């Protein structure tokens, strides 16, 4: 079985997150850059299956600038056997549609039985990429899984909902996404870090995938304006001198909060 795991380099959630007011994109130099934690959990799901099933091939895939290669190598240090990195200047600021198109083309080129991704990234939060990739690949999609069981020909999982948990099954090939309820990623040991230096990373461009990011026949979303977040205004303190309840009610009404 070949499992492709989609990972993403994001600004560290413990650092500052800043938007570049000229481009509207995240200023990735403003903080440390790491693999998104949900991507690490997706990788752990694949590696756990590979540990118990010799012959399973785990491929980590990332669409990112060339500077993200060291981050991708962490996925190799954790246990992925190989990696694919899509690098192209035309992908800077790619919208969800272009991102899904590129990743689907790269997955199809690499070959797969199963694609595992996180349900949404911490820097974008679109939450639709896995389903969009499945649509482009023409395979089953099972998203938002809090538990996953893999077999040679199918994948099963639990998707929590309002008041119930749905049991979902999809025949392979398929695309699934997992939530933070899945187990945390393992630690990369010294042996894994050293082995990662020798593992292959295939670099692909848009030309390799026969994709034109500026194709005028394809609808793309564009950013039309950006502005810094307004400074927080001072709050209003209501002191109860016997009429606190009335003053609070007036405040809520004036601000259309009730």
């Amino acid at each position: 079985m070949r499992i492709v795991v989609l990972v993403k380099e994001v600004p560290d959630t413990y650092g500052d997150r800043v938007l570049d007011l000229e481009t509207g994109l995240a200023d990735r130099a403003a903080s440390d850059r790491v693999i998104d934690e949900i991507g690490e959990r997706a990788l752990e799901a694949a590696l756990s299956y590979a540990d118990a099933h010799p012959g399973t091939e785990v491929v980590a895939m990332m669409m990112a600038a060339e500077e993200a290669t060291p981050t991708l190598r962490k996925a190799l240090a954790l246990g992925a056997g190989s990696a694919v990195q899509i690098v192209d200047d035309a992908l800077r600021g790619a919208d969800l549609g272009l991102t899904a198109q590129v990743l689907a083309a790269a997955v199809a080129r690499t070959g797969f039985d199963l694609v595992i991704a996180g349900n949404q990234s911490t820097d974008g939060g679109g939450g639709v990429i896995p389903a969009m990739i499945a649509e482009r690949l023409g395979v089953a999609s099972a998203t938002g899984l809090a538990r996953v069981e893999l077999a040679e020909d199918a994948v099963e999982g639990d998707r929590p909902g309002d008041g119930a948990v749905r049991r979902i099954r999809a025949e392979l090939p398929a695309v699934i996404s997992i939530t933070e309820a899945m187990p945390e990623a393992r630690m990369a040991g010294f042996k894994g870090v050293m082995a990662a230096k020798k593992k292959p990373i295939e670099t692909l461009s848009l030309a390799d995938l026969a994709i034109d990011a500026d194709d005028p026949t394809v609808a793309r979303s564009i950013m039309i304006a950006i502005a810094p977040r307004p400074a927080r205004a001072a709050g209003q303190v209501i002191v109860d001198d016997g009429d606190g309840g009335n003053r609070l009610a007036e405040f809520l009404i004036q601000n259309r909060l009730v």
Side-chain angles (χ1 to χ4, degrees), residues 120-142:
Q120 62 180 16
S121 63
T122 56
D123 66 338
V128 295
I129 291 294
M132 292 173 75
I133 291 174
E135 177 68 19
R136 283 192 167 273
L137 293 174
V139 300
S141 171

Side-chain angles (χ1 to χ4, degrees), residues 35-91:
I35 294 180
D36 203 351
E37 182 184 348
I38 195 67
E40 290 186 338
R41 291 176 187 260
L43 184 59
E44 178 61 31
L47 294 175
S48 295
Y49 180 82
D51 289 344
H53 298 82
T56 302
E57 183 181 357
V58 178
V59 182
M61 181 175 290
M62 177 185 290
M63 190 181 92
E66 187 176 355
E67 293 78 12
T69 302
T71 302
L72 184 56
R73 285 214 175 270
K74 182 182 179 183
L76 297 176
L78 289 171
S82 62
V84 176
Q85 184 175 2
I86 304 102
V87 180
D88 200 298
D89 290 341
L91 290 173

Side-chain angles (χ1 to χ4, degrees), residues 112-115 137-141 152-155 170-175:
F112 72 102
D113 296 293
L114 178 67
V115 177
L137 293 174
V139 300
S141 171
E152 291 185 1
D153 60 349
V155 55
E171 302 295 325
L172 300 183
V175 177

Side-chain angles (χ1 to χ4, degrees), residues 223-239:
M223 188 175 304
I224 59 174
I226 184 171
R229 178 183 297 174
R232 294 185 62 181
Q236 179 178 341
V237 178
I238 297 178
V239 179

Side-chain angles (χ1 to χ4, degrees), residues 3-251:
I3 304 175
V4 177
V5 181
L6 304 181
V7 295
K8 186 177 184 182
E9 183 184 76
V10 299
D12 193 339
T13 54
Y14 293 100
D16 294 329
R17 297 188 177 192
V18 180
L19 285 181
D20 186 320
L21 296 181
E22 292 185 3
T23 65
L25 304 177
D27 183 357
R28 298 184 180 275
S31 64
D32 293 335
R33 294 173 294 182
V34 298
I35 294 180
D36 203 351
E37 182 184 348
I38 195 67
E40 290 186 338
R41 291 176 187 260
L43 184 59
E44 178 61 31
L47 294 175
S48 295
Y49 180 82
D51 289 344
H53 298 82
T56 302
E57 183 181 357
V58 178
V59 182
M61 181 175 290
M62 177 185 290
M63 190 181 92
E66 187 176 355
E67 293 78 12
T69 302
T71 302
L72 184 56
R73 285 214 175 270
K74 182 182 179 183
L76 297 176
L78 289 171
S82 62
V84 176
Q85 184 175 2
I86 304 102
V87 180
D88 200 298
D89 290 341
L91 290 173
R92 191 165 185 262
D95 67 356
L96 294 172
L98 179 57
T99 299
Q101 181 183 4
V102 170
L103 288 173
V107 167
R109 176 189 171 106
T110 301
F112 72 102
D113 296 293
L114 178 67
V115 177
I116 306 179
N119 59 336
Q120 62 180 16
S121 63
T122 56
D123 66 338
V128 295
I129 291 294
M132 292 173 75
I133 291 174
E135 177 68 19
R136 283 192 167 273
L137 293 174
V139 300
S141 171
T143 58
L145 302 182
R147 186 190 63 83
V148 173
E149 291 183 4
L150 301 181
E152 291 185 1
D153 60 349
V155 55
E156 290 189 7
D158 292 343
R159 179 193 292 160
D162 294 336
V165 176
R166 297 180 179 87
R167 175 66 59 82
I168 299 173
R169 175 183 171 88
E171 302 295 325
L172 300 183
V175 177
I176 68 171
S177 68
I178 56 97
T179 71
E180 292 184 349
M182 292 288 289
E184 294 183 358
R186 63 194 66 187
M187 298 293 291
F190 178 76
K191 184 178 180 181
V193 172
M194 297 304 295
K197 297 180 180 180
K198 299 180 181 180
K199 293 180 179 179
I201 296 180
E202 182 182 13
T203 302
L204 300 176
S205 67
L206 288 180
D208 296 323
L209 301 173
I211 294 175
D212 180 5
D214 299 317
D215 185 349
T217 66
V218 179
R220 307 287 188 202
S221 60
I222 61 173
M223 188 175 304
I224 59 174
I226 184 171
R229 178 183 297 174
R232 294 185 62 181
Q236 179 178 341
V237 178
I238 297 178
V239 179
D240 187 5
D241 293 324
D243 61 346
N246 291 334
R247 292 172 62 191
L248 178 59
E250 291 174 359
F251 174 83

